[in-house]
Amino acid sequence: MPEVMIGGIPVTFPFEPYEVQKVYMERVIESLQNNTNALLESPTGTGKTLSLLCSSLAWLLVKKAQLQMNAQVGNFSEHSSFSGSLKDSLKSGAGKAKDNTSWGMPKIIYSSRTHSQLTQAMQELKRSSYKHVKATVLGSRDQMCIHPEVSKETNNMNKVHMCQLRVKSRTCHFYNNVESKKDDRAVKGDEILDIEDLVTVGKKLKCCPYYLSKELKQDADIIFMPYNYILDPKSRRANGVELMNNIIILDEAHNVEKMCEESASLQIRTTDVALMY
């Protein structure tokens, strides 16, 4: 696959990128390097998703390599440099360790409006040269629960309650199997697993896809999720989504305003108003 140098970052693309794709990727990388926000547009059919994924992941891999190298240099200095007093050496080493810990390894959080749009983005990733990165997708119990009783519940609140009760009492053997199956080759192999793949693997291994995706999130380089997992504080906390020091991508961002309106809106019936007086 062709490799192009964009803003000092080597980006591997499935084919020789068009000029509009190069410009788009330049803006993505410029934003990441400068730690700034960017509002980017590209005409339909110009490979926006592929350009977005390749450029952001190329930058991420370079950034991770830099952080790992800095951590190794810091550890080497801490253990080998004792030219000053022991107290000063330990103090210097502790400072470096603290800096590396507070920053940590950044992740890409890629969000879109629907899971079908996320699946399409993951398919693009699978066809790119970055298909080796660690990736996962967060979904709801409606899409990922495979428990024969809980999955049949139509009321979402009841489904969540039923699930939580079984998890707390350790009576869901699918959940109980997550810890022992999360490192299975079918889970942590070379294939990127979208929601449908996770469900298939979960059924095969008899482990919960919903909680399996949360385990995969810990080591993932890129995490796919719907807008509301980011925009809704409750959903963000429930799914353990950390925004600080991570790269947030809102794909199809023209839908964000409507999503925010819906999240902040409430329907009140006339009978509800009448009961207030």
Side-chain angles (χ1 to χ4, degrees), residues 65-78:
Q66 291 173 345
L67 290 171
Q68 288 169 346
M69 184 171 63
N70 291 341
Q72 290 172 355
V73 170
N75 289 334
F76 177 79
S77 299
E78 180 183 351

Side-chain angles (χ1 to χ4, degrees), residues 4 29 52 60 64 70-71 109 162-163 168 242 246 256 275:
V4 291
I29 290 175
L52 190 56
L60 179 68
K64 286 184 66 176
N70 291 341
I109 297 176
M162 290 168 66
C163 171
K168 188 175 181 179
E242 180 58 57
N246 287 330
V256 171
L275 289 172

Side-chain angles (χ1 to χ4, degrees), residues 138-150:
L138 298 183
S140 67
R141 291 175 176 83
D142 279 338
Q143 299 157 312
M144 305 177 82
C145 177
I146 59 175
H147 191 283
E149 295 177 19
V150 179

Side-chain angles (χ1 to χ4, degrees), residues 20-21 79 83 92 102 105 110 112 128 202 206 221 261 276:
V20 66
Q21 293 170 330
H79 289 93
S83 56
S92 175
S102 64
M105 288 296 177
Y110 189 106
S112 195
S128 76
K206 291 182 170 53
D221 295 312
E261 289 177 355
M276 294 172 63

Side-chain angles (χ1 to χ4, degrees), residues 29-170:
I29 290 175
E30 180 183 343
S31 173
L32 293 171
Q33 288 177 328
N34 296 329
N35 195 27
T36 58
N37 298 324
L39 180 60
L40 306 176
E41 288 185 286
S42 186
T44 301
T46 54
K48 171 179 62 63
T49 299
L50 185 61
S51 300
L52 190 56
L53 288 170
C54 289
S55 56
S56 60
L57 284 168
W59 180 89
L60 179 68
L61 295 180
V62 170
K63 184 66 177 179
K64 286 184 66 176
Q66 291 173 345
L67 290 171
Q68 288 169 346
M69 184 171 63
N70 291 341
Q72 290 172 355
V73 170
N75 289 334
F76 177 79
S77 299
E78 180 183 351
H79 289 93
S80 63
S81 178
F82 290 95
S83 56
S85 67
L86 178 61
K87 181 179 179 181
D88 291 340
S89 297
L90 290 174
K91 183 178 179 181
S92 175
K96 289 171 183 174
K98 182 179 179 181
D99 289 342
N100 288 328
T101 302
S102 64
W103 169 254
M105 288 296 177
K107 299 177 183 288
I108 295 175
I109 297 176
Y110 189 106
S111 68
S112 195
R113 187 171 63 89
T114 66
H115 275 100
S116 61
Q117 291 172 332
L118 292 174
T119 298
Q120 291 173 6
M122 295 185 80
Q123 293 301 321
E124 291 280 3
L125 180 57
K126 289 179 181 182
R127 289 193 288 266
S128 76
S129 61
Y130 298 97
K131 60 186 178 181
H132 65 282
V133 301
K134 296 177 181 178
T136 192
V137 57
L138 298 183
S140 67
R141 291 175 176 83
D142 279 338
Q143 299 157 312
M144 305 177 82
C145 177
I146 59 175
H147 191 283
E149 295 177 19
V150 179
S151 61
K152 292 179 181 177
E153 176 57 49
T154 56
N155 183 284
N156 185 59
M157 290 186 65
N158 289 344
K159 181 176 288 185
V160 171
H161 185 62
M162 290 168 66
C163 171
Q164 291 175 340
L165 282 177
R166 282 169 170 77
V167 167
K168 188 175 181 179
S169 61
R170 305 289 296 187

